[in-house]
Amino acid sequence: MTEVDPLPLAGLTTLRTGAAPARMQEAHTRDELVTALRGIWADADEWFVLGGGSNLFVGDDVFDGTVVRVLTRGIERLPGERPGTVRVRVEAGHDWDALVAYTVEQGLAGIEAMSGIPGTVGAAPVQNIGAYGQDIAETLVEVELIDERTGEVSAVAATELALGFRTSVLKRHYGSVPERSAVILSVTLELADVGHGELPVRGEQLRQALGLEPGASVSLSWVRDHVLATRRRKGMVLDEADADTASAGSFFQNAIVSEQFARTLPPECPRWPMQPVIEPVRIIPLDRFDGYVPPPAVQSVPVKVSAAWLIEHAGIGKGYHLPRSRAAVSTKHALALTNRGGATADELAELARFIQQRVQQEFGLILQPEPVLIGVEL
Ligand SMILES: Cc1cc2nc3c(=O)[nH]c(=O)nc-3n(C[C@H](O)[C@H](O)[C@H](O)COP(=O)(O)OP(=O)(O)OC[C@H]3O[C@@H](n4cnc5c(N)ncnc54)[C@H](O)[C@@H]3O)c2cc1C
């Protein structure tokens, strides 16, 4: 455990807001991380862990607690449990995109469409990161984590994390606490050992984004290079030279609404029906079976609607900013709020609230923020 002089969070988060917290620790090894967390929990101090700071929106007031920087590194290659697969066990502080580059180099498929997502491997399951139709839930086997309640380290199967659309039991959604307060120490993925040849590209969303015809075959490194170029055009990779990347990626989540509500939105608004929720198998004991098998009850199918479309059609175009504000909508992507240089968290929050109000007035729904908010109210 290394207690360090606290650094301003504006220098450690991609939205570039936040003062230096009261206390800061750096954990370079797993033991340091475990010791730091157990110490903080024993003292009942306020705390949060910081990876790459790319999904955090931190307020202007000093955070009166301890920020723990997760700086652990390392990839271990292990045999897969199924034929044709390989496992990688990766320390939480490892850079996500460096992991993707490694897997592509090794000819391992499963996360290449998520090239260029900023941040650390340990934060990736927290909101089940994803891009172009691929998410970490598809390859995540387990995480090793330490629970705040018990202080114990355990291996937890991916199925126990309730990974959903940009969510898991570990995520602190705006206005609530995580269902399970825990810190990930390492992540294990199972990837397909496909080598360096050309393969058909799975997934309509990825094919469309990369301009590929159905049935087109390309290599993993081709996918990675083209995903990176596509993301760069949208300001969705970190780049000091591009002011549009001083963001937290998508600031608002695509809204998930009922089928009935979706029908009230203009038909041009892009929407994607989600999986229907079907009742689990119902067992009817033989002595009570009267020959009638009830049909499975299908609840209404939730629909995901494009937040970017709602924002633009509420009159807020790319590059929009309030008068004299240094916070603006990205010039390349209507969902990203950006810090154009020296913007305070208050300025960014003011813009976020304005967008929420405009969308609510036009379409009757309140967009929810995707990043984790600390010391900021919307
Ligand atoms: C330009 C840009 C593009 C982006 N594009 C995408 C995208 O395409 N898809 C996508 O899903 N996201 C995207 N994001 C969001 C972000 O990159 C991801 O959410 C990423 O996983 C955050 O990692 P981080 O290490 O920066 O997390 P941080 O911002 O440091 O932390 C985020 C949250 O996770 C917690 N946390 C961090 N590490 C751990 C750990 N080891 N254990 C438990 N909790 C932890 C933190 O306390 C905090 O609550 C983008 C962001 C930016 C800036």
Side-chain angles (χ1 to χ4, degrees), residues 49 51-55 118-120 123 126-127 129-130 184 231 236 247-249 372:
V49 289
S54 62
N55 208 33
T120 55
V126 173
Q127 73 153 1
I129 60 165
I184 292 180
R231 292 183 67 97
M236 282 289 147
S247 75
V372 174

Side-chain angles (χ1 to χ4, degrees), residues 244 316-322 327-334 336 340:
D244 281 324
I316 297 165
K318 298 188 182 98
Y320 179 90
H321 64 92
L322 293 166
V329 175
S330 160
T331 65
K332 305 184 183 78
H333 195 310
R340 308 312 285 191

